Amino acid sequence: MPSSAPPFSELIARCERSAVHLEMRDAYAVDYEKGPFAEWRAGFRHDPADRASWWRSWLGLIQETVARGVVVRRARIVSEPVSEYTRFLYDGTFTNVAAGEQVRWLPRRQASDIALPGNDYWLFDGRLIRWNHFAGDGASGGGEISEDPAAAKLCAGAFDAVWDRGIPHDQYEIR
């Protein structure tokens, strides 16, 4: 039976080999009036050379995890032409890569024959799933934990299929 999720930092701290994240939405809830997305829409872009200006605790957590020998990979299935939010994600993904994440992008048309779970997720060590639930407007609906072997097998297979077809971040061209 699934249960509510402990903090992500606790889940990744227990991870020993791999953490994979599959993202399948074209937009997630953001404040269009203020904050990072609004600043990006107004033309602000992080300077990759000014690491101190964009480094944040999430990136430190990923860097520490990778330093422990855990492989952290993220795959994003995106509609093309991409949404404005996907452009925002793309522009900031260099920070994930700098922290040690491997990131790939897969155009949604190339995912049509892949059996995908109904929700975004993190899969830790191929066995523990953290489902990410969202409302229709993209707001977080909370996380949920599952160790169901059949669901973990579905998530692992889906991620591997997306990863195999995905385009590495440094080679993906926004359309």
Side-chain angles (χ1 to χ4, degrees), residues 89-168:
L89 284 179
Y90 179 84
D91 282 350
T93 295
F94 77 90
T95 66
N96 300 75
V97 173
E101 272 190 61
Q102 300 171 44
V103 180
R104 291 191 180 178
W105 302 81
L106 181 65
R108 191 170 308 281
R109 288 180 180 269
Q110 295 177 29
S112 296
D113 62 345
I114 298 173
L116 298 167
N119 295 289
D120 289 11
Y121 62 87
W122 278 91
L123 179 63
F124 301 97
D125 292 330
R127 60 166 193 78
L128 177 70
I129 307 161
R130 184 194 191 283
W131 298 112
N132 296 325
H133 298 294
F134 295 94
D137 66 359
S140 175
E144 183 178 28
I145 296 297
S146 174
E147 291 187 87
D148 176 54
K153 183 178 178 181
L154 171 65
C155 289
F159 187 87
D160 288 344
V162 170
W163 189 258
D164 288 346
R165 292 182 190 179
I167 302 163

Side-chain angles (χ1 to χ4, degrees), residues 90 103-105 166-175:
Y90 179 84
V103 180
R104 291 191 180 178
W105 302 81
I167 302 163
H169 176 68
D170 63 350
Q171 296 172 26
Y172 181 67
E173 295 181 19
I174 287 287
R175 299 186 199 305

Side-chain angles (χ1 to χ4, degrees), residues 47-128:
D47 176 358
D50 184 11
R51 184 178 175 119
S53 72
W54 48 261
W55 194 261
R56 57 193 190 281
S57 60
W58 161 260
L59 299 171
L61 180 61
I62 295 302
Q63 186 176 47
E64 291 167 13
T65 301
V66 170
R68 288 191 290 112
V70 176
V71 176
V72 180
R73 298 182 295 162
R74 177 186 305 258
R76 292 179 170 138
I77 298 173
V78 295
S79 300
E80 292 181 328
V82 300
S83 69
E84 183 180 34
Y85 186 83
T86 297
R87 286 183 183 281
F88 165 70
L89 284 179
Y90 179 84
D91 282 350
T93 295
F94 77 90
T95 66
N96 300 75
V97 173
E101 272 190 61
Q102 300 171 44
V103 180
R104 291 191 180 178
W105 302 81
L106 181 65
R108 191 170 308 281
R109 288 180 180 269
Q110 295 177 29
S112 296
D113 62 345
I114 298 173
L116 298 167
N119 295 289
D120 289 11
Y121 62 87
W122 278 91
L123 179 63
F124 301 97
D125 292 330
R127 60 166 193 78
L128 177 70

